[in-house]
Each structure stands twice: as C-alpha cells, then as structure tokens.
C-alpha cells in the first residue's frame, strides 16, 4: 500500500467513531440527498437488472437501510477496516467488506448500480482513470452510478484537521465538469446532474451526478 493510501486508511480508522456519532440520522435532515438517492433507487429498479448494488466507500454503512427500504440489496465496501467494523456493528443485516475502490471485489457486470457518496473525493489524478474504470466494469449495461461530491477546482487539499483528532489526508474537490467527463470516459451517460450552495458548516458547494452504464 502506498503512503498516501495508508494515510487515508489510518485517518478514516480514527474517524469511524466520530462519523458514526456525527452522521447518525443525518440523512433524515437532508431532503436533497434523499431525493437524489431515491431517484437512483427508482431508476435502478426500473432497469430490471436485479436489486444488487455496491455502496462504494460506504463508511459507517449509514446509507444501507435507506437503500434497502427502497428495494435494493446493498453491499458496502470501504478502505478503512474500522469503518467496516462499525458498519457491521451498527447494521448487522447488511454485508460490508474492506476493499479498495481501485480494485473492487465484484465480478464484471455483476451489479445493477453503484453508489459513491462522497467517496470519489479522495482519488489522486493518477488513480482516477483506473477507479472510474472499475466502477464501469462492475455495473451491468443499463445499470446506474450515483455520486455526491464536494464541488471545487480539483486542487489537492489537506483535510481532516477540523475534526480535532490529529489526522490529515489528501482530498480533491472536483469540478462538476471533470466529474461528468470522468464518468463519461469510463462508459456512462449522464442522466441527471445537480448542485446546491454550501450550507452552514459546509465550506464548498455540493454536486450530484447520476449516470447510466452504456
């Protein structure tokens, strides 16, 4: 494992308990996020490719109950073993595994869709083509990808310090244009995109993109 990946993994091991507490019930207070996820669920089920989806970079597993309540069967993966441990503890009815976005543990064309909820913002430029290619590899033609991300200029930023836990790691706030280009080059076609201004305690606008595997 390279030094930057090891740093990211170790930092998110530290963040697991912090996120489990801070993000508990957060989706209930976020109607825009629910609307985007609901659209993904509806389109994925309508594609009639089965209910299996991957929650890529699942963190503490908080999206799994929402996805399941809307008819999908999510399997979460995360780089951080501690995030996966917390997810298994808090959501024992769902499957979670440790894995790298750049080498997904799914067979070719085995999923009806993938959810990348703020998990693509850690990809260094050199890793993006491989990672987006992996997402395309595992999604069946006609299946869907949905992502939420911090919208910015793509420059590297040192993140994590605001948590006050003595950690730092690299993050990249991609522009909506680059996010769409990466998705398109990997083999998806844009279905829906949106954004919203930064809210209180947020430092950047948020972006959303939903695309169909061609």
């Amino acid at each position: 494992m390279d030094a930057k990946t090891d740093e990211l993994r170790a930092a998110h091991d530290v963040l697991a308990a912090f996120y489990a507490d801070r993000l508990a019930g957060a989706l209930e207070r976020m109607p825009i996020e629910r609307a985007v996820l609901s659209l993904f669920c509806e389109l994925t089920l309508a594609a009639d490719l089965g209910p299996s989806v991957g929650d890529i970079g699942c963190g503490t597993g908080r999206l799994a109950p929402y996805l399941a309540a809307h008819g999908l069967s999510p399997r979460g993966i995360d780089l951080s073993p501690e995030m996966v441990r917390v997810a298994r503890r808090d959501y024992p009815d769902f499957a979670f595994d440790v894995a790298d976005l750049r080498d997904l543990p799914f067979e070719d064309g085995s999923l009806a869709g993938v959810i990348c909820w703020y998990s693509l913002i850690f990809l260094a430029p050199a890793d993006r083509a491989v990672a987006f290619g992996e997402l395309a590899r595992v999604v069946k033609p006609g299946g869907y990808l949905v992502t939420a991300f911090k919208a910015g200029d793509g420059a590297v930023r040192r993140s994590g310090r605001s948590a006050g836990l003595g950690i730092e790691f690299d993050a990249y706030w991609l522009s909506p244009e680059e996010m769409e280009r990466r998705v398109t080059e990997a083999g998806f076609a844009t279905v829906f995109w949106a954004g919203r201004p930064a809210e209180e305690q947020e430092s950047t606008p948020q972006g959303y993109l939903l695309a169909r595997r061609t």
Side-chain angles (χ1 to χ4, degrees), residues 108-156:
D108 294 0
S110 60
L111 300 176
V114 287
I115 304 96
C116 305
W117 216 244
Y118 294 101
S119 56
L120 302 178
I121 62 175
F122 308 113
L123 290 169
D127 294 326
R128 290 172 195 164
V130 170
F132 281 90
E134 276 291 275
L135 296 170
R137 178 185 67 80
V138 302
V139 176
K140 299 173 184 179
Y144 289 88
L145 173 152
V146 68
T147 184
F149 58 98
K150 295 174 183 281
D153 59 7
V156 63

Side-chain angles (χ1 to χ4, degrees), residues 8 31 34 42 48 62-63 65-66 69 74 81 87 97 103-105 108-109 115 124 138 140 143 146 161 182 187:
L8 181 66
R34 293 198 311 274
E42 183 174 348
D48 199 24
R62 66 190 182 92
L63 297 186
Y66 189 86
D97 295 290
D103 185 19
L104 294 174
D108 294 0
I115 304 96
V138 302
K140 299 173 184 179
V146 68
R161 283 172 283 191
R182 292 285 181 179

Side-chain angles (χ1 to χ4, degrees), residues 9-196:
R9 181 177 186 170
H12 281 77
D13 280 347
V14 174
L15 283 167
F18 176 80
Y19 279 179
D21 178 63
R22 183 173 181 178
L23 297 177
L27 198 57
E28 298 172 6
R29 304 186 296 273
M30 305 177 84
I32 294 174
E33 281 72 7
R34 293 198 311 274
V36 175
L37 287 169
S38 294
L39 178 59
F40 167 79
C41 294
E42 183 174 348
L43 290 173
T44 300
L45 290 173
D48 199 24
L49 299 173
S52 296
V53 296
D55 186 359
I56 311 301
C58 63
T60 59
R62 66 190 182 92
L63 297 186
Y66 189 86
L67 298 170
H70 286 72
L72 299 180
S73 297
R75 175 184 168 192
I77 66 108
D78 201 275
L79 181 67
S80 161
E82 185 62 13
M83 288 284 188
V84 169
R85 187 193 69 79
V86 169
R88 289 172 174 170
R89 179 198 68 194
D90 292 351
Y91 305 103
D93 294 334
F94 301 97
F96 300 99
D97 295 290
V98 177
D100 193 315
L101 170 55
R102 298 166 296 184
D103 185 19
L104 294 174
F106 303 106
E107 297 295 327
D108 294 0
S110 60
L111 300 176
V114 287
I115 304 96
C116 305
W117 216 244
Y118 294 101
S119 56
L120 302 178
I121 62 175
F122 308 113
L123 290 169
D127 294 326
R128 290 172 195 164
V130 170
F132 281 90
E134 276 291 275
L135 296 170
R137 178 185 67 80
V138 302
V139 176
K140 299 173 184 179
Y144 289 88
L145 173 152
V146 68
T147 184
F149 58 98
K150 295 174 183 281
D153 59 7
V156 63
R157 290 168 168 80
R158 294 296 284 173
S159 296
R161 283 172 283 191
S162 62
L165 298 173
I167 56 168
E168 291 186 29
F169 50 88
D170 287 351
Y172 302 84
W173 299 346
L174 299 187
S175 68
E177 292 78 14
E178 179 172 359
M179 186 65 76
E180 184 170 18
R181 177 173 62 82
R182 292 285 181 179
V183 165
T184 301
E185 289 176 350
F188 293 89
T190 299
V191 172
F192 170 85
W193 57 262
R196 64 171 175 80

